[in-house]
Amino acid sequence: MIYFVRHGQSTANAGGVTMAHAEIPLSDLGRRQADLVAELLDVAPVLLLSSTYVRALDTARPFSEKTGCPITTHPLLHEFSALDAGLIEGMVTAQRRPMADAFWSSADPDLRHGPGSETFREFSARVAGFAAEMPDLPRDTVLFGHGIWFALLCWRLRGFSDAGSTGMQEFRRFQRALPMPNCAVYGLEQAAKGQWRLQADE
């Protein structure tokens, strides 16, 4: 089984002002959630992977300390930077939302919001790159990362396409419907080559 843990509540999740994507910290609640995951997740990890972003690393740290398994950062696990943080610096959630809605409404996989952002096509390629590595990951690998990243991984593993405008729109509907609260835990098990079973761990 491979386990995925979404990071704890961040200050951005709590409606805080925009800052560099990689530097957004956990809120006080997020730190408590990270401690709770470390207490409740009954896995002895062989490999512990995390996004390079602070909120994911700080969620993984209590679990790493409890299990003695060191954190290895993985360059493909970071959040989708649909909006350029430099162009929305200082904005709160209500101010950012219309820009995010416009990005997704465009259904343009090559749209770049600014120089500090990535396109949906680039994001998709990054997730696909990690999916190609998954069959070689050891059993009881635990990943700490981001909700939309994991949603796209699930979409692809279910065999759906995210190519073109239609694929981007269909994925967005799936992503918004997938339950992914902060510190949600999902298990992925390879049933056969190229086939994965997904389960939530309450």
Side-chain angles (χ1 to χ4, degrees):
M1 184 81 73
I2 295 172
Y3 297 87
F4 174 85
V5 184
R6 186 188 177 198
H7 63 76
Q9 185 193 69
S10 69
T11 56
N13 297 148
V17 298
T18 301
M19 56 193 302
H21 294 303
E23 298 171 8
I24 297 171
L26 295 177
S27 66
D28 290 341
L29 173 59
R31 287 189 287 273
R32 293 196 297 272
Q33 290 171 333
D35 289 339
L36 192 60
V37 164
E39 177 185 342
L40 297 179
L41 184 55
D42 187 20
V43 180
V46 175
L47 177 64
L48 178 52
L49 298 178
S50 174
S51 156
T52 58
Y53 284 15
V54 167
R55 56 194 180 276
L57 284 166
D58 284 351
T59 305
R61 191 162 288 113
F63 183 70
S64 172
E65 292 170 353
K66 174 194 169 185
T67 61
C69 186
I71 300 169
T72 301
T73 57
H74 196 299
L76 298 180
L77 289 176
H78 65 78
E79 179 67 285
F80 177 33
S81 298
L83 301 181
D84 186 331
L87 299 179
I88 57 174
E89 185 176 1
M91 293 184 181
V92 296
T93 301
Q95 295 170 306
R96 298 190 298 263
R97 185 170 293 117
M99 296 183 184
D101 290 344
F103 174 86
W104 288 104
S105 295
S106 75
D108 180 358
D110 295 307
L111 177 65
R112 190 182 304 279
H113 177 254
S117 64
E118 64 183 337
T119 68
F120 182 75
R121 193 182 304 279
E122 289 169 340
F123 172 49
S124 174
R126 184 157 53 80
V127 174
F130 185 85
E133 299 178 11
M134 284 179 57
D136 297 322
L137 292 177
R139 188 173 181 83
D140 291 336
T141 292
V142 180
L143 316 174
F144 284 81
H146 307 270
I148 193 170
W149 183 98
F150 185 67
L152 186 54
L153 178 68
C154 292
W155 180 255
R156 296 184 65 91
L157 293 180
R158 289 170 63 90
F160 296 116
S161 172
D162 56 21
S165 295
T166 300
M168 182 176 173
Q169 290 175 317
E170 290 176 346
F171 162 70
R172 180 61 168 172
R173 286 193 290 270
F174 169 81
Q175 180 255 324
R176 297 185 78 171
L178 181 68
M180 185 55 65
N182 292 111
C183 278
V185 179
Y186 277 85
L188 287 161
E189 187 166 19
Q190 189 167 215
K193 186 175 182 180
Q195 297 180 3
W196 294 83
R197 285 196 293 262
L198 171 69
Q199 67 182 46
D201 185 350
E202 294 182 305

